Amino acid sequence: SYKFTQKLWSLHTEIKAKIDILKKTREKSKKNEVNDEQLKIFTNTMIKKISDNLENFHYNVIIANFHEIYNFLSKNIKILNYNYEILINNYVKILNIIKPVLPHLASECLEDLRVTDTNTWPKIDERYLDNKNVKIVIQINGKKRGLIECEKDIAKDKLINIISQKSEYVKYFENKKIFKEIFVNNKIINFIVK
């Protein structure tokens, strides 16, 4: 936990540097809109997940959520540009949802950003939770072979058609017969082949 806390602090310094750069330039070009939208969706999803996990006393899952937050932010903060206000507002929300488990770190980060209102739980913006796409796990004979992003509640036949056209999965079906497909809607499809 010590190492992970240090990684979160290092990430905070990167985000703060990005915020300082954006504050000076106040970049508001249209190319940021997609990135801003993804950040809003991610933030609201995390608020919902962590709120639910706190209410249900799933503390170990909250730690997994923190790793998810770290991975998303560390990957995107270096390569993507955001609108200044959207980045700081969403980052403050993320720090507030981390606060019940890591109060000292979250408080230090919020103080470093000169945020004064730090005792309010962020509200979920429902329009960012209605994600139209899902990631479905593709398994062949029980082994994970990949993930495919497709529309929510996709029909099994349509999904199989999409998978059969993807070059990375064709090699698993060459000279083999599909005996069975096990499909769990919006979660997984498993092909039993011989």
Side-chain angles (χ1 to χ4, degrees):
S1 62
Y2 173 78
K3 281 184 180 178
F4 184 64
T5 306
Q6 293 305 309
K7 283 168 76 174
L8 286 174
W9 179 252
S10 296
L11 177 63
H12 167 74
T13 56
E14 284 181 44
I15 293 171
K16 187 170 186 295
K18 182 84 162 194
I19 287 170
D20 290 341
I21 290 167
L22 292 174
K23 187 176 186 179
K24 289 174 188 164
T25 59
R26 294 285 177 155
E27 196 169 293
K28 291 186 179 186
S29 64
K30 291 193 175 186
K31 66 180 179 181
N32 297 344
E33 288 177 9
V34 174
N35 302 339
D36 295 340
E37 200 72 14
Q38 286 177 340
L39 182 62
K40 289 176 187 176
I41 289 168
F42 178 79
T43 303
N44 283 284
T45 303
M46 282 297 116
I47 295 168
K48 174 136 181 57
K49 282 182 180 180
I50 291 176
S51 298
D52 292 346
N53 290 329
L54 278 170
E55 287 172 15
N56 295 315
F57 303 103
H58 295 157
Y59 300 128
N60 56 339
V61 182
I62 292 171
I63 301 305
N65 295 146
F66 287 178
H67 283 274
E68 208 176 329
I69 289 168
Y70 174 80
N71 291 335
F72 177 86
L73 290 175
S74 64
K75 183 177 93 177
N76 292 322
I77 203 67
K78 294 173 188 164
I79 58 172
L80 299 179
N81 280 325
Y82 295 101
N83 177 290
Y84 166 75
E85 285 84 10
I86 290 171
L87 177 60
I88 197 158
N89 288 341
N90 283 279
Y91 184 53
V92 166
K93 288 177 184 178
I94 287 170
L95 289 173
N96 278 320
I97 61 175
I98 288 175
K99 207 171 183 183
V101 180
L102 293 169
H104 301 307
L105 176 74
S107 296
E108 188 71 28
C109 293
L110 288 164
E111 189 177 308
D112 192 30
L113 293 171
R114 293 183 177 81
V115 176
T116 53
D117 183 24
T118 61
N119 292 324
T120 53
W121 192 256
K123 289 184 175 40
I124 300 168
D125 193 340
E126 296 289 336
R127 52 191 172 149
Y128 295 111
L129 292 181
D130 188 26
N131 199 352
K132 294 173 181 80
N133 292 333
V134 291
K135 288 185 180 174
I136 296 178
V137 175
I138 299 168
Q139 289 186 340
I140 306 206
N141 291 337
K143 290 185 180 176
K144 182 181 173 185
R145 300 297 180 184
L147 282 171
I148 190 164
E149 189 167 329
C150 54
E151 63 193 53
K152 203 173 194 177
D153 298 321
I154 190 170
K156 178 181 168 184
D157 297 333
K158 191 174 177 185
L159 178 62
I160 292 170
N161 188 33
I162 292 169
I163 292 168
S164 66
Q165 293 174 5
K166 297 266 183 188
S167 60
E168 62 261 33
Y169 303 115
V170 172
K171 62 183 176 187
Y172 298 110
F173 300 112
E174 284 178 352
N175 304 321
K176 294 185 180 169
K177 183 179 177 188
I178 298 172
F179 283 96
K180 188 176 184 181
E181 300 114 2
I182 302 163
F183 177 63
V184 179
N185 194 27
N186 296 327
K187 293 196 184 290
I188 190 169
I189 187 160
N190 186 10
F191 296 94
I192 309 300
V193 297
K194 285 192 180 180

